[in-house]
Amino acid sequence: MAINLGKYILKNHPDKKNVSDVYRLVGKWLAETRSSNSRTIIDDYLRHSVDFTELHKSPDKKYKSRQCRTYFHLAHYTDGLFKSYEERLSSNEWQAALRLRKYKSKELDTLMKRLKSSSKSEKTDYSVKIQELQKQLALDEEEAGKIQDDRDKFLNLALQGYQRSLVVGGKYDLQVVFRLVSLWFSLFSREQVVKAMMKTTKEVQSYKFIPLVYQIASRLGSSKDAQGSTNFQNALASLLKKMAIDHPYHTIFQLLALANGDRVKDKQRSRSSFIVDMDKKLAAENLLKDLSSSHGALIRQMKQMVEIYIKLAELETKKEDTNKRIPLPREIRSICQLELVPVVTASIPVDPNCQYEEGSFPHFNGLADSIMVMNGINAPKVIECIGSDGNKYRQLAKSGNDDLRQDAVMEQFFSLVNMFLQNHRDTSERRLRIRTYKVVPFTPSAGVVEWVNGTVPLAEYLVGSTRSGGAHGRYGTGDWTYHQCRETMTNEKDKRRAFVKVCNNFRPVMHHFFLERFLQPADWFQSRLAYTRSVAASSMVGYIVGLGDRHSQNILIDQETAEVVHIDLGVAFEQGLMLKTPERESEDIDSCLDDSQEACEGNKDAARAILRVKQKLDGYEDGEMRSVQGQVQQLIQDAADADRLCQMFPGWGAWL
């Protein structure tokens, strides 16, 4: 009915100012219901929609929003067609047709040779067969050519539409930037893509690409793009240069980290995560040299600060220094003020107008005289950075086997999830979000992490830092101690029986957190709500990306808001299943992996991770597809399943 009404309006009132919306909607609905062919939808509706917005130009916001919508829907539809054509051209059926065409070509060549040496009576038969084969091959080639031409046409329309939607409006920025960058990276060897990329780089405001700065920078000079990718690398470098000139505080730290790509200790070089890509390092160095004309002084000061943090992260300490304050090394103490460099863990909002005046952010004013050496294999150091605003920013300088680049990318992912949650009405009303903090890598193994103030690890609240106090010490009178529980879980052969016994002798005390800290009923209720929503959001997102190592030391709780904060994000994409004591998880991936084309052509681990994420988003659990509600219910049951919990590494304290 809606489609027919739209068609009636177009036929009888074609000169109305808002008619572009009607063309767009009818085209969109015809596409959704698949009730017309693609040529009609594009030429008679979606393109008309774009043409009408171009015809009635206006400076007001409503017009810009409408124009952005028309470009987006044309791009989104043609992108879908491009994807379906790409899938068809890489399908098993198409590959079989190609093999058959090759066989027919060989057969034709053989017949042509036989025709020359054949007798008069045979010539007629051969000629008939040759004509037949020639016709078949001509038809096949015509069909293949048409499909490839249509695919390229749809790709062009998609790239142009996405680019124009970014130029004229902001409604679809996040979605479009993700898709555009994905197309660029997967089709970097196609000339039409690189040309569109260059055009987009020149015309689109650079701040729109900042959410993907890690991914864009990581492809700089990449050796995997080496074949025929000079133009792609030029386009990529020009985009990064524009981003760095316009938004230096959101881009240059990533370039410095890439330039330090070979600063890896000898004992770490054998690890696959620390393999150095020298092309990337050199490309980053060249880009930084190129930027020296516009940001020379800033880059020099940034390098000074980066060196300070690397030295502190890699500072050798004695065992007896653990959990003690030690003086700041003299050569670091002498560097007081870097007025051009922001406090690295301070939050600086991206300014679309590229105005980052002095005073718009706290700059680096030196470090406190002493640092605290924390417990751990790599002895991370707690530092206090003094900002020009008078505040002390507590930070953690880390170095060692943990790759902080993965933590940084995971935090970036959490921030993007928060944007989606904020833009969705229901999740925004419920204030669903994941608590994030800044992670800034400076080399493959060293960097700085923002200290999350006002938080305490769940384990510390529940059993204290020595595992013999905490809330359990206050309220669990007569219960077993943490050490007794662990001993039972370690020594008993029947793990399930041992776990049930432990739980019966170690009663829950978490509810006291809310009673102790939130004395008014309204505050108590609000904090419990914040806690449950925070746990729900972080659990579901953590499940999707396969985040592991989630024991009670790696989950903090904010003592003012009761939200949880996840730290140490190095075990992701179900790497926890590969640990010595594997984390428990339902597995239904291996049979699917055999059919994955990506697994054959590229990085098998990456293909496996992507495939598993897709399965989770599609609702696959234990080989069955479930509704969202059914999937969530299953996951809650799994999380509370004694058979799974009892198999976990005892040191994690599953009974807590």
Side-chain angles (χ1 to χ4, degrees), residues 94 97-98 101-102 104-105 108 133-149:
W94 188 261
L98 283 178
R101 204 177 308 156
K102 278 183 187 173
K104 282 180 184 176
S105 296
L108 182 64
L133 270 175
Q134 283 173 332
K135 274 183 186 175
Q136 284 176 12
L137 281 167
L139 286 169
D140 287 349
E141 279 166 22
E142 190 185 334
E143 185 197 11
K146 188 181 180 309
I147 288 172
Q148 284 162 348
D149 288 347

Side-chain angles (χ1 to χ4, degrees), residues 97-305:
L98 283 178
R99 287 193 295 274
L100 184 60
R101 204 177 308 156
K102 278 183 187 173
Y103 174 76
K104 282 180 184 176
S105 296
K106 282 180 185 175
E107 192 182 349
L108 182 64
D109 290 342
T110 308
L111 286 171
M112 296 288 265
K113 284 173 188 172
R114 284 182 185 173
L115 181 69
K116 288 175 185 175
S117 59
S118 62
S119 63
K120 275 187 179 181
S121 59
E122 290 173 328
K123 269 188 168 55
T124 311
D125 287 343
Y126 281 134
S127 295
V128 170
K129 282 181 182 175
I130 285 167
Q131 281 179 347
E132 226 174 80
L133 270 175
Q134 283 173 332
K135 274 183 186 175
Q136 284 176 12
L137 281 167
L139 286 169
D140 287 349
E141 279 166 22
E142 190 185 334
E143 185 197 11
K146 188 181 180 309
I147 288 172
Q148 284 162 348
D149 288 347
D150 282 349
R151 176 200 63 185
D152 293 343
K153 184 187 83 173
F154 294 142
L155 176 59
N156 268 334
L157 282 169
L159 291 169
Q160 287 167 17
Y162 283 142
Q163 185 252 342
R164 292 304 301 156
S165 78
L166 286 175
V167 169
V168 301
K171 186 175 181 183
Y172 304 99
D173 280 357
L174 206 58
Q175 192 176 343
V176 169
V177 162
F178 264 75
R179 182 57 186 151
L180 258 186
V181 171
S182 173
L183 285 168
W184 292 349
F185 287 0
S186 58
L187 307 170
F188 62 85
S189 58
R190 296 190 193 180
E191 196 181 334
Q192 68 185 124
V193 172
V194 176
K195 277 184 182 173
M197 187 178 172
M198 288 296 257
K199 187 173 166 57
T200 303
T201 299
K202 283 175 190 165
E203 295 183 15
V204 175
Q205 287 176 286
S206 58
Y207 80 90
K208 298 195 176 192
F209 293 97
I210 292 295
L212 282 173
V213 65
Y214 278 107
Q215 287 73 14
I216 294 168
S218 72
R219 285 297 281 261
L220 188 66
S222 178
S223 53
K224 68 177 170 183
D225 301 334
Q227 293 179 336
S229 69
T230 313
N231 292 334
F232 169 74
Q233 281 297 329
N234 290 341
L236 195 73
S238 66
L239 173 59
L240 274 167
K241 185 178 178 182
K242 189 179 177 184
M243 289 166 73
I245 289 169
D246 295 348
H247 309 282
Y249 308 115
H250 301 86
T251 311
I252 293 177
F253 281 128
Q254 278 81 19
L255 295 177
L256 288 171
L258 289 175
N260 287 333
D262 62 338
R263 288 183 67 166
V264 180
K265 291 174 183 174
D266 290 337
K267 62 182 177 183
Q268 293 172 328
R269 286 187 185 273
S270 58
R271 292 188 58 189
S272 59
S273 56
F274 292 137
I275 289 170
V276 179
D277 186 335
M278 289 306 290
D279 292 336
K280 205 174 279 194
K281 171 189 158 60
L282 293 169
E285 284 176 344
N286 290 334
L287 187 51
L288 286 166
K289 276 179 199 165
D290 207 10
L291 288 166
S292 60
S293 57
S294 55
H295 288 313
L298 170 60
I299 291 170
R300 279 192 297 277
Q301 287 197 10
M302 279 185 166
K303 281 182 175 176
Q304 265 185 289
M305 191 187 72

Side-chain angles (χ1 to χ4, degrees), residues 579-634:
L579 296 174
K580 194 176 176 184
T581 305
E583 295 178 13
R584 310 310 297 166
E585 164 70 270
S586 58
E587 287 201 75
D588 52 12
I589 188 170
D590 294 318
S591 59
C592 303
L593 195 64
D594 296 334
D595 301 326
S596 167
Q597 197 177 355
E598 282 177 280
C600 303
E601 293 175 355
N603 183 322
K604 284 195 176 184
D605 289 337
R608 184 188 178 92
I610 291 165
L611 188 60
R612 185 68 187 109
V613 167
K614 187 179 184 306
Q615 285 181 338
K616 289 173 179 177
L617 291 171
D618 288 343
Y620 278 102
E621 290 300 327
D622 297 326
E624 294 177 17
M625 187 181 253
R626 302 178 194 275
S627 65
V628 174
Q629 292 88 342
Q631 190 179 12
V632 172
Q633 199 56 47
Q634 181 65 52

Side-chain angles (χ1 to χ4, degrees), residues 260-271 274 276 310-316 377-378 381 398-401 443-446:
N260 287 333
D262 62 338
R263 288 183 67 166
V264 180
K265 291 174 183 174
D266 290 337
K267 62 182 177 183
Q268 293 172 328
R269 286 187 185 273
S270 58
R271 292 188 58 189
F274 292 137
V276 179
I310 293 171
K311 277 179 187 169
L312 284 172
E314 295 179 349
L315 185 69
E316 296 288 338
I377 300 170
N378 305 306
K381 291 91 186 172
K398 291 181 81 173
S399 170
N401 291 330
T443 75
S445 59

Side-chain angles (χ1 to χ4, degrees), residues 286-572:
N286 290 334
L287 187 51
L288 286 166
K289 276 179 199 165
D290 207 10
L291 288 166
S292 60
S293 57
S294 55
H295 288 313
L298 170 60
I299 291 170
R300 279 192 297 277
Q301 287 197 10
M302 279 185 166
K303 281 182 175 176
Q304 265 185 289
M305 191 187 72
V306 167
E307 286 303 317
I308 290 170
Y309 280 114
I310 293 171
K311 277 179 187 169
L312 284 172
E314 295 179 349
L315 185 69
E316 296 288 338
T317 55
K318 298 168 192 164
K319 202 172 182 182
E320 54 266 29
D321 290 335
T322 304
N323 292 326
K324 288 181 186 168
R325 287 197 164 275
I326 61 169
L328 200 66
R330 188 173 295 165
E331 71 273 17
I332 293 173
R333 214 178 306 168
S334 61
I335 297 171
C336 295
Q337 185 171 317
L338 300 170
E339 73 284 350
L340 298 176
V341 185
V343 172
V344 72
T345 53
S347 187
I348 306 171
V350 175
D351 185 349
N353 300 313
C354 315
Q355 300 298 313
Y356 298 98
E357 305 295 337
E358 196 177 326
S360 63
F361 57 83
H363 65 254
F364 183 91
N365 236 8
L367 299 172
D369 292 338
S370 62
I371 57 175
M372 170 78 84
V373 181
M374 299 292 284
N375 196 11
I377 300 170
N378 305 306
K381 291 91 186 172
V382 179
I383 303 161
E384 281 189 332
C385 174
I386 300 157
S388 57
D389 55 0
N391 290 329
K392 287 185 177 179
Y393 293 82
R394 198 178 268 194
Q395 301 162 339
L396 197 65
K398 291 181 81 173
S399 170
N401 291 330
D402 292 339
D403 189 345
L404 280 183
R405 293 172 299 182
Q406 184 161 310
D407 287 62
V409 170
M410 201 56 75
E411 283 299 323
Q412 175 208 24
F413 172 69
F414 289 164
S415 298
L416 291 168
V417 169
N418 283 342
M419 286 186 204
F420 288 120
L421 291 173
Q422 203 173 346
N423 292 338
H424 191 278
R425 191 182 65 189
D426 290 345
T427 52
S428 178
E429 281 175 5
R430 288 178 174 79
R431 296 180 190 170
L432 287 181
R433 66 168 183 161
I434 300 169
R435 281 287 295 275
T436 59
Y437 53 89
K438 284 193 88 170
V439 180
V440 188
F442 293 133
T443 75
S445 59
V448 169
V449 178
E450 178 187 357
W451 187 272
V452 190
N453 289 320
T455 60
V456 62
L458 279 176
E460 198 167 309
Y461 172 75
L462 293 170
V463 289
S465 53
T466 60
R467 301 286 188 276
S468 56
H472 195 268
R474 295 193 293 278
Y475 303 108
T477 312
D479 282 1
W480 287 1
T481 64
Y482 172 89
H483 299 290
Q484 280 177 290
C485 296
R486 181 169 179 176
E487 202 176 317
T488 303
M489 288 305 303
T490 306
N491 296 334
E492 289 232 16
K493 286 181 182 176
D494 187 338
K495 298 294 179 192
R496 194 189 192 288
R497 191 172 147 216
F499 185 74
V500 171
K501 195 193 292 184
V502 163
C503 289
N504 288 338
N505 288 281
F506 194 94
R507 290 168 295 173
V509 293
M510 184 65 202
H511 58 283
H512 289 287
F513 176 85
F514 304 95
L515 293 167
E516 286 178 347
R517 282 164 174 74
F518 305 98
L519 304 179
Q520 297 301 317
D523 296 339
W524 172 85
F525 179 75
Q526 197 60 46
S527 66
R528 274 178 44 119
L529 208 54
Y531 173 77
T532 52
R533 285 172 173 173
S534 171
V535 168
S538 55
S539 297
M540 293 315 296
V541 174
Y543 157 74
I544 294 294
V545 296
L547 188 61
D549 200 21
R550 296 301 87 208
H551 55 77
S552 50
Q553 282 286 6
N554 281 347
I555 305 173
L556 315 180
I557 187 162
D558 190 312
Q559 298 183 83
E560 286 186 18
T561 66
E563 292 173 300
V564 296
V565 186
H566 286 257
I567 62 170
D568 282 357
L569 311 171
V571 180

